[in-house]
Amino acid sequence: MTNPLPDNPAEEDAVAKERVAHPFRTLRELIDHVSGKSLPPIEIEEGGKAESLPFPFLAIVGQKEMKLALLLGLINPNVGGILLIGPRGTAKTTAVRSLLDLLPSVERSLCYYGCLPEDVESGGLDAVCPDCASKYAEGIPLTAPDRVRLIELPLNARIEDVVGGIDERAAVTNERLRVRRGILAQSDKNLLYIDEINLLSDDIVDAILDAAAAGTYTVRRGPVSATYRARFVLIGSMNPEEGRLRPQILDRFGLRIIVKGLENPEERLEAYRRVQLYLSSPRSMIGQYSEEMFAAATEIKSARALLPKVTISDKVAR
């Protein structure tokens, strides 16, 4: 039974306006409105990136052997790795992270697959991907200068994070199996730093040392495999009070430095003052050493350029 229409014309107009008050012409428009699809997109503000302000390398008091070893690693990546052994509070981690302002530049591949000109020179155009092969033929550079980076390996890293694994996103979206690059591949032509290396599991340490010795490594996951370059400078640090390293691992480091605490009271006081200045005003502290850091970075760049021309005399070789 339907409701009778009102006899008054004014009431008829009110009922008609009530019926057409909403703007929805179809049920779909009503559902979209209720579900929020018709709302304007929310503007997401970009999160603030924390600016990296490492402690100046040249502001570290004492520790000449440790600083010299780290500088040798920057100049000559073939030193075979650097291991810093010492108790807490000896500036091991601070010294490694302070290398950011001294890191030189290297030629880095612009290709996702890491194609390089030397690949073409050694294996021909078939040794690179089709895009890089066409670029090489047209004279387009395959690399660009980029700064050496410091890659830190977290202690909770899994073996899949280190060497790589199946790219699940590509498998779902593209229905295609592909190996995802691990931390070792990302460390190519960079510095790989492992704090408290003695606390890592043996399988991860073995994978890192094998890749560092060979310069490449291969990942196999079922029917898919990929080979990556891993030419990095390995820097490890450890506190001997928390555990020892296997002798096989110790032998794989070219430089092993025993880092001791500052014994001179004047040096300890100066170190305390510099740390307090850095904590209170890091920019001011960095500014005081900016010229010296720039000069040191320039010398490291020049030393890397002169390295291939260095020859060892018979006397030194003997």
Side-chain angles (χ1 to χ4, degrees):
M1 180 177 180
T2 58
N3 294 329
L5 296 175
D7 297 333
N8 190 345
E11 293 181 0
E12 292 181 2
D13 294 340
V15 173
K17 291 180 179 179
E18 184 178 355
R19 288 176 179 173
V20 299
H22 61 78
F24 312 115
R25 292 173 295 178
T26 62
L27 180 60
R28 179 176 293 276
E29 292 182 358
L30 176 61
I31 294 175
D32 290 344
H33 176 77
V34 175
S35 62
K37 290 184 178 180
S38 61
L39 295 176
I42 300 176
E43 296 182 359
I44 302 177
E45 297 182 358
E46 294 186 0
K49 266 189 175 180
E51 185 179 4
S52 177
L53 297 173
F55 191 86
F57 181 81
L58 298 180
I60 298 176
V61 179
Q63 308 298 359
K64 294 182 179 179
E65 289 188 353
M66 177 178 65
K67 291 189 288 188
L68 177 59
L70 294 175
L71 291 178
L72 289 176
L74 294 184
I75 296 172
N76 186 4
N78 296 323
V79 295
I82 304 163
L83 179 61
L84 307 178
I85 305 173
R88 293 178 53 190
T90 51
K92 300 186 301 296
T93 303
T94 300
V96 175
R97 292 176 177 171
S98 64
L99 295 174
L100 286 174
D101 293 332
L102 297 175
L103 296 179
S105 60
V106 294
E107 290 292 327
R108 204 177 299 278
S109 175
L110 299 175
C111 177
Y112 173 82
Y113 301 102
C115 299
L116 293 171
E118 48 260 38
D119 297 335
V120 181
E121 297 170 359
S122 59
L125 293 177
D126 294 336
V128 296
C129 67
D131 292 338
C132 290
S134 60
K135 289 181 179 179
Y136 188 85
E138 297 174 5
I140 300 176
L142 303 184
T143 61
D146 188 21
R147 292 191 64 184
V148 176
R149 302 166 190 166
L150 178 64
I151 309 295
E152 295 192 39
L153 180 71
L155 278 179
N156 60 349
R158 305 169 301 170
I159 188 65
E160 290 81 7
D161 301 327
V162 176
V163 301
I166 295 296
D167 192 341
E168 298 179 357
R169 179 178 300 179
V172 173
T173 58
N174 302 331
E175 297 182 355
R176 179 180 176 185
L177 292 179
R178 188 176 67 182
V179 178
R180 172 178 47 82
R181 299 172 65 205
I183 296 177
L184 290 179
Q186 299 173 16
S187 303
D188 185 46
K189 290 191 174 183
N190 291 319
L191 303 182
L192 177 60
Y193 175 52
I194 308 175
D195 191 13
E196 298 179 344
I197 188 174
N198 52 325
L199 301 183
L200 281 179
S201 59
D202 292 343
D203 56 342
I204 292 180
V205 175
D206 292 338
I208 295 173
L209 294 177
D210 291 341
T216 61
Y217 72 98
T218 302
V219 183
R220 292 183 177 88
R221 293 294 182 268
V224 183
S225 65
T227 300
Y228 297 103
R229 296 184 180 90
R231 300 160 297 179
F232 53 82
V233 178
L234 178 61
I235 303 176
S237 64
M238 57 172 286
N239 183 355
E241 299 174 356
E242 298 175 350
R244 296 180 176 274
L245 271 178
R246 290 180 296 162
Q248 298 88 338
I249 300 176
L250 289 173
D251 292 339
R252 302 290 282 273
F253 284 93
L255 294 176
R256 286 177 284 174
I257 309 300
I258 304 299
V259 185
K260 300 180 181 180
L262 301 177
E263 298 179 356
N264 189 327
E266 295 297 328
E267 290 184 344
R268 295 176 64 88
L269 179 59
E270 181 62 23
Y272 167 77
R273 289 172 176 170
R274 293 184 185 184
V275 170
Q276 291 301 313
L277 177 60
Y278 173 77
L279 294 176
S280 61
S281 180
R283 294 183 185 278
S284 175
M285 177 69 174
I286 295 173
Q288 292 183 14
Y289 292 87
S290 59
E291 294 184 2
E292 298 178 15
M293 293 289 289
F294 179 78
T298 304
E299 291 183 6
I300 292 173
K301 183 178 180 180
S302 301
R304 286 175 65 97
L306 294 173
L307 182 62
K309 305 176 184 179
V310 175
T311 57
I312 299 178
S313 64
D314 294 338
K315 181 178 179 181
V316 175
R318 290 191 181 97

